[in-house]
Amino acid sequence: MRVPLSWLREYVDLPATETGRDVQAKLVSAGLEVETVEHLGADLKGPLVVGQVLTIEELEGFKKPIRFCTVNVGQANGTGEPQEIVCGARNFQVGDKVVVVLPGATLPGGFSISARKTYGKTSHGMICSGDELGMGDDGSHGIIVLPPETEVGKDAIELLELVDEVLDIAVTANRGDCLSIRGVAREAAIAYGIPLRDPALLDVPGPNAFGYPVQVSDPLGCDRFTARTVTGLSPEARSPLWLQRRLQKVGMRPISLAVDVTNYVMMELGQPLHAYDRTLVRGTIGVRRAEEGEQIVTLDGVERKLHAEDLVIVDDRGPIGLAGVMGGANTEIADHASSQGTTDVVIEAAHFNAVAIARTARRHKLSSEASRRFERGVDPQAAAAAAQRTVDLLVLLAGGTAEAGVTEVVAPSAPHTISVPADHPDKVAGVSYGRETVVRRLQEVGCDVYGQDELIVTVPSWRPDLQEINDLAEEVIRLEGYENLPSTLPRPPAGRGLTHRQRLHRRAGRALAGAGYVEAPNYPFVSEQVFDQLGLEADDPARRVVRLTNPLNDEEPALRTSLLPGLLGALRRNDGRGSHDLALFETGLVFLPRSEQRAAAVLPVDRRPTDAEIAELDAALPEQPRHVAVVLAGAREQAGWWGKGRPADWADAVEAGRLVAREAGAELVVRGGQYGPWHPGRCAEFVVVVDGAETVVGHAGELHPRVVKAFGLPARTSAMELDLDVLEAVGDDTPQAPAISTFPVATQDVALVVDKFVPHADVETALREGAGELLEAIRLFDVYENEEQLGDGKKSLAYALRFRAGDRTLTVDEASAARDAAVALAGERTGAVLRG
C-alpha cells in the first residue's frame, strides 16, 4: 500500500517537522512494515511553469515529426516574451495549456535544462510529459495538457504536487484495514497520540423504497449491498489534477472521472466500489452464485467461464460482474472525456465473503485491487459512507444530481464480542501493563471495553482479524512497543543437548561430507508422475503419498516418500550447468500416510499441551522417518600425475551405505537385490536384523537406463537410499576403544571357487562363523573369472584372514586349523572349494 504523506496529513495533524522517515519509524514501532519511503521530486528544481501554446510550426525533412512552438509563460522567463520550444509530441494544439520547464531547471534523474540548438532551431526549454516529471503514465502517452482554466505562469511544481513523500507499506494478510489511507491514518494517530479525522464519518441518508432495485440471493456470500444513483453527469467532465495526482501517487492510473472517483474512494476508505452505466443495466441488480458454465467478459476483455462457486453480480440478462473482483464489459463506464460519455451511473458498495472472493480470484488468476481488500477483510459498516462519498464527489466534479433513492440490503449480524481477563496481555508478554493501559490501548484501536477484572471487548467493524483473546493481547503489546519487551534467554535444563537421533544424523552427514559428498537439501514436494519415472511397480507402497490441500505448486501436490527425486533433479541441474563430476547427499524426512486417517486436534495456546494431546496430534500426522540418500555421476577419483583416476560406479554407492551403517553401529548385510529405479544386475539390497527378523532398509547401485533417460541424467549414474531411523534402532554406536594386542597376527589367504550366482556376502559370513573367535578380520581382495581355468559359471573369491589370540602367540597349526574350519563351513553352505 502506497501512502502519500500529503494525503495522510488530511486526516492526522502530524507535526509539521515530521518527515517520511520519522513517520516510518513510528509505524514500524506500531507493527506496520514500512518497506521504503519514496521522495518524489527530491531532485526537481524549477522554473517549471504553466504555459499556453500560441503557435505551432511543423518542421519538414526529418525522420520523425517535429514541431517548433511558441509558448506564453507569462513573466516566468523574466521578459514576458513567448518562449520558443522544439517538441516532438503530437497530443496538443494551439491554445492548450501545458507544463513548460525553462532553462536553468533540473528534472528528476538529474537532467539539466538549457537552451540548445536542435533540428535547425534553438529550443529554450521543454514541454513536459508526465514520465519526464516522474508522475507516471496518465494515459495520454504524451505531454501533459492542463485544464483550460489553469493560470498561465503558475508554478507547476505546486500545481501538480510534484514534491511529496510516499510510504510503501507491506500490509500483512490480517490487516486489510491498512489497505486504505483511513486505516494507516488511524495507526499514525495512535502512534503519535493525536486525534483522527475519520473520513468515513459522513451524514448518510437512510435506505428507502425509491432506490435502485437489488436482490441478494446469497446472504452468506454478500451480507451488505448499498446502491446509489447519480444522473446528469457532464460527458465532458474530467478528473481534476489533484485527484489524478493522488491516484498516481498510490500507484493507479487515471482512466475516467467515474472510475477515478471509485478508485479514489477505495484508496481513501478501503471499501471497493463499482460504477455501472445505468443505461446498460437491464432490470434488477442481483447477487448470486454462478451457474456452472456461465460466461462473462470482464473489463480486461477476457471471456471467462464461471464456476458454480463464483459469486457474481447479475441483471436480467445474466452476469455483469465478478463480485469483488472485476466488473463486466457489458456495463462498462464510457470515457467522460468524450461526447459519448456516461451520464447516469449506479454506484455499488457491497461487502462480500472473504473466502469466496479469494477463491474466485485464484480460480480465474485475476487479482485486482478490490479482491486484495476483500480477501484481507473490509469494514462492512463503511459501505454506506463510501457510496455517499462517491456520490458527493461525482456531484461536485461532474455536475450530476444524486437521486433520493437509497438501496441497502443488509443481512442481520451482531458485533463480535470477546471476554478477556484484564491481566491476560501481561501474562503473554511477561510485562506488567496494568488494566488502565490495556483498556486505553484497546479503545485506541476502536474497541468498546467494559468490566473490571474480566473485560468485555466489542471489536470494531474494521478489524475482522481480532477474533480471540490473544489477538487483543497482541494489539496491546504492539502499541506499547515490541522493542520494550524484556529480552530473556531461555535456560535449558542441565544435562540436555542433542538427542541420540540428532547426533546420529549429524555424524552421518559429516561422514558423507568427509567422503567427498556435497549436501544438497531439496523441497519435500513431488508430483505423482515421478514414480513412473522411477520405474516403481503399480502396487509399490512408495506410491501412496500424502497430498497437500493447498500446495505451493499445482504440479507438485504430494509429499515425498523418497529422497531420490529431489537429489536426481539437483544432479541433473548441476550437470546441465557444466559440473559433471558429482557426488551429492541429503538427509531428510519422508512422509508415509497412515492406514487410518485422523483429523488433527486443535491444541490450546494458553498452556502446555498434555502428553495425551501431543500423542493424539502425532497420531494424526503421517509417519515421518528420516532417510539418507546419495547420488553419483562422473569421475569419483580425478586423473592426474598420480594416476588415471576412475569413474563413480555402483560400488561407491554401496560403500556409502556401509559408511552410514558404521556411524550408526549397525551390522549391515549387503546382498544382491532388485528394486524400482536400480539396474537389476547392479543393485545391492541392505538388510538388518530387527527382533530376529531380516528387514530391508535400503538399496544401492547403478540406476536403470530407463530411469537415467527419464530424468535426463548422465550415463551410469548411481544412487543409494537408507532408512536412518531403522539403523538407529538396531545399531549400537557406543564408542569402543580399540583392542591393542602385544601378540603378533597370523595371516592366511584362501581362494575359493563358487558358482557365479553365489553372493560374496554369503561366503564371507560362512568363513567368519567357521573361523571362530580367533578371526580378527576378513577382507575380500580379489575376484577372478576364467572359464578355461575355473569352469563354466564359476568365479574365484580370494580372502585375507587375520588371526590373533589375546593371550598367546598363535602357532601355524592353530591358524591353519581355524582357516580349514572356515573353508569347511563355507563349502558346506555355499558349495565353495579351494582353488587348485
Side-chain angles (χ1 to χ4, degrees):
M1 176 68 189
R2 290 171 58 84
V3 180
L5 199 58
S6 58
W7 198 349
L8 191 65
R9 288 181 183 276
E10 281 199 7
Y11 311 126
V12 185
D13 289 327
L14 299 174
T17 57
E18 289 292 279
T19 66
R21 294 291 185 190
D22 298 328
V23 178
Q24 177 189 28
K26 285 284 190 179
L27 293 179
V28 168
S29 178
L32 292 185
E33 186 179 349
V34 184
E35 294 186 326
T36 59
V37 178
E38 183 179 353
H39 298 270
L40 302 181
D43 51 356
L44 178 63
K45 175 185 171 185
L48 188 72
V49 298
V50 176
Q52 184 173 25
V53 180
L54 301 177
T55 65
I56 299 176
E57 176 187 352
E58 301 288 345
L59 302 181
E60 305 292 340
F62 300 101
K63 293 183 179 180
K64 61 179 182 179
I66 297 297
R67 310 168 97 184
F68 180 67
C69 311
T70 59
V71 184
N72 175 21
V73 296
Q75 297 299 318
N77 57 4
T79 64
E81 296 294 324
Q83 200 80 1
E84 296 179 340
I85 299 175
V86 175
C87 183
R90 314 293 295 175
N91 67 315
F92 66 96
Q93 56 190 358
V94 172
D96 282 347
K97 302 289 180 64
V98 295
V99 178
V100 179
V101 57
L102 300 177
T106 303
L107 294 183
F111 182 59
S112 299
I113 302 299
S114 61
R116 63 191 185 97
K117 190 168 184 178
T118 179
Y119 298 102
K121 301 285 187 178
T122 300
S123 181
H124 299 273
M126 191 169 76
I127 301 176
C128 297
S129 69
D131 285 337
E132 290 164 338
L133 296 179
M135 297 169 54
D137 180 23
D138 61 358
S140 66
H141 303 291
I143 61 101
I144 302 169
V145 178
L146 301 171
E149 64 273 13
T150 310
E151 178 186 350
V152 172
K154 184 177 178 63
D155 184 0
I157 296 178
E158 179 182 350
L159 176 69
L160 299 177
E161 301 178 16
L162 296 178
V163 178
D164 203 348
E165 292 181 279
V166 179
L167 310 176
D168 194 350
I169 303 175
V171 179
T172 55
N174 66 320
R175 292 302 305 272
D177 60 305
C178 288
L179 286 174
S180 66
I181 303 297
R182 178 196 184 199
V184 177
R186 182 179 290 108
E187 291 296 316
I190 296 172
Y192 280 93
I194 54 181
L196 167 71
R197 289 187 294 274
D198 191 343
L201 295 180
L202 302 174
D203 290 331
V204 180
N208 53 53
F210 309 107
Y212 198 93
V214 173
Q215 181 177 1
V216 177
S217 303
D218 188 345
L220 294 179
C222 175
D223 57 7
R224 184 179 294 266
F225 195 108
T226 300
R228 301 289 299 276
T229 304
V230 182
T231 60
L233 300 177
S234 171
E236 292 81 19
R238 293 176 51 183
S239 300
L241 287 174
W242 65 266
L243 179 58
Q244 294 185 44
R245 285 298 294 134
R246 287 196 169 177
L247 289 177
Q248 288 174 330
K249 289 177 183 180
V250 298
M252 303 191 77
R253 182 172 66 86
I255 299 174
S256 64
L257 177 58
V259 176
D260 292 349
V261 167
T262 58
N263 286 337
Y264 176 85
V265 175
M266 176 179 66
M267 288 297 176
E268 181 181 56
L269 301 182
Q271 168 66 52
L273 302 108
H274 191 70
Y276 301 94
D277 188 326
R278 183 176 180 179
T279 62
L280 300 179
V281 179
R282 301 288 183 263
T284 301
I285 292 178
V287 183
R288 62 169 171 83
R289 299 287 175 169
E291 297 176 5
E292 192 69 40
E294 275 190 308
Q295 295 183 341
I296 182 176
V297 178
T298 46
L299 289 174
D300 56 0
V302 177
E303 182 175 332
R304 302 181 185 278
K305 187 175 181 180
L306 300 179
H307 188 276
E309 292 185 3
D310 290 336
L311 200 63
V312 292
I313 311 297
V314 298
D315 64 4
D316 292 349
R317 297 165 299 178
I320 60 174
L322 275 175
V325 181
M326 185 174 286
N330 52 357
T331 56
E332 182 178 6
I333 295 290
D335 190 352
H336 279 66
S338 68
S339 60
Q340 303 298 320
T342 299
T343 58
D344 301 341
V345 298
V346 178
I347 305 300
E348 165 211 310
H351 184 262
F352 300 109
N353 179 269
V355 174
I357 301 306
R359 289 178 176 173
T360 296
R362 282 157 179 74
R363 189 179 296 118
H364 294 282
K365 296 180 173 60
L366 184 62
S367 179
S368 64
E369 292 289 345
S371 68
R372 286 183 62 218
R373 283 160 176 79
F374 280 122
E375 289 172 14
R376 289 161 173 78
V378 169
D379 181 4
Q381 302 294 332
Q388 182 64 45
R389 176 72 164 143
T390 304
V391 169
D392 292 344
L393 287 173
L394 287 176
V395 171
L396 174 67
L397 302 176
T401 300
E403 290 194 352
V406 177
T407 302
E408 191 162 338
V409 180
V410 180
S413 63
H416 183 49
T417 300
I418 304 172
S419 178
V420 55
D423 62 349
H424 182 69
D426 300 10
K427 294 178 179 178
V428 173
V431 176
S432 180
Y433 293 122
R435 179 188 176 279
E436 298 302 322
T437 298
V438 171
V439 172
R440 174 173 58 85
R441 288 304 191 184
L442 292 179
Q443 289 175 338
E444 285 178 346
V445 300
C447 297
D448 291 330
V449 186
Y450 303 94
Q452 292 298 317
D453 294 338
E454 189 75 16
L455 303 178
I456 306 301
V457 180
T458 302
V459 174
S461 59
W462 57 83
R463 290 299 302 275
D465 59 305
L466 302 181
Q467 293 293 320
E468 46 102 15
I469 61 175
N470 288 304
D471 296 329
L472 301 180
E474 181 185 6
E475 291 300 298
V476 175
I477 295 168
R478 76 176 180 87
L479 294 178
E480 284 295 304
Y482 290 122
E483 69 276 9
N484 295 323
L485 292 177
S487 179
T488 305
L489 292 176
R491 294 183 179 180
R496 294 189 182 180
L498 296 177
T499 64
H500 180 269
R501 186 175 189 236
Q502 292 171 326
R503 288 195 297 270
L504 172 59
H505 298 162
R506 294 193 179 189
R507 286 204 314 274
R510 284 196 295 266
L512 289 172
Y517 291 85
V518 176
E519 188 170 15
N522 294 282
Y523 289 116
F525 313 116
V526 296
S527 68
E528 295 183 63
Q529 288 71 30
V530 77
F531 301 122
D532 295 328
Q533 294 176 290
L534 289 174
L536 300 185
E537 298 291 340
D539 59 348
D540 194 299
R543 283 184 176 270
R544 293 186 61 245
V545 295
V546 178
R547 293 179 179 83
L548 299 173
T549 302
N550 188 21
L552 296 178
N553 183 351
D554 291 339
E555 295 181 358
E556 296 180 334
L559 292 174
R560 66 190 179 189
T561 58
S562 168
L563 301 182
L564 288 183
L567 275 179
L568 294 178
L571 186 140
R572 180 184 63 246
R573 287 190 299 272
N574 282 276
D575 182 71
R577 287 163 173 76
S579 298
H580 303 302
D581 303 325
L582 296 163
L584 309 178
F585 84 94
E586 179 180 8
T587 60
L589 300 179
V590 298
F591 305 86
L592 309 177
R594 298 181 186 270
S595 56
E596 179 185 354
Q597 298 293 331
R598 301 185 186 179
V602 178
L603 297 182
V605 295
D606 59 341
R607 59 175 174 81
R608 185 188 185 281
T610 64
D611 292 342
E613 288 172 331
I614 296 175
E616 183 181 356
L617 178 63
D618 288 340
L621 298 176
E623 295 182 19
Q624 301 176 53
R626 184 173 289 270
H627 283 199
V628 58
V630 306
V631 293
L632 304 102
R636 185 66 177 132
E637 295 178 3
Q638 296 292 334
W641 57 265
W642 52 84
K644 295 181 179 179
R646 68 173 182 85
D649 60 17
W650 62 268
D652 295 300
V654 173
E655 179 57 27
R658 286 197 175 104
L659 177 63
V660 172
R662 286 195 294 271
E663 291 295 328
E667 186 175 345
L668 196 66
V669 177
V670 181
R671 63 191 183 197
Q674 185 173 342
Y675 178 70
W678 281 278
H679 192 295
R682 300 177 185 136
C683 174
E685 183 177 79
F686 295 137
V687 177
V688 296
V689 177
V690 180
D691 297 330
E694 290 188 344
T695 301
V696 177
V697 293
H699 295 83
E702 184 180 313
L703 295 180
H704 197 289
R706 285 196 298 268
V707 175
V708 170
K709 182 178 180 181
F711 279 91
L713 305 173
R716 312 301 292 270
T717 297
S718 299
M720 178 278 293
E721 184 166 11
L722 264 174
D723 189 327
L724 259 180
D725 286 355
V726 176
L727 290 182
E728 178 193 9
V730 302
D732 179 10
D733 58 357
T734 304
Q736 298 290 335
I740 302 175
S741 175
T742 59
F743 299 99
V745 66
T747 302
Q748 296 273 355
D749 292 343
V750 294
L752 302 177
V753 177
V754 296
D755 292 330
K756 282 187 178 180
F757 63 82
V758 175
H760 140 69
D762 292 350
V763 178
E764 181 180 317
T765 301
L767 290 173
R768 192 181 298 277
E769 291 183 16
E773 296 181 355
L774 294 179
L775 181 67
E776 181 182 76
I778 182 172
R779 179 175 62 88
L780 174 69
F781 65 86
D782 184 51
V783 179
Y784 177 70
E785 296 181 7
N786 188 308
E787 292 185 2
E788 294 182 1
Q789 297 185 18
L790 302 178
D792 187 22
K794 300 292 185 178
K795 64 181 177 182
S796 171
L797 303 177
Y799 294 89
L801 309 179
R802 291 170 57 91
F803 299 100
R804 193 193 312 257
D807 58 350
R808 66 188 188 280
T809 299
L810 291 178
T811 65
V812 174
D813 292 340
E814 287 178 312
S816 298
R819 180 201 63 186
D820 293 341
V823 172
L825 187 58
E828 179 183 335
R829 289 187 178 179
T830 66
V833 297
L834 281 173
R835 179 179 167 189

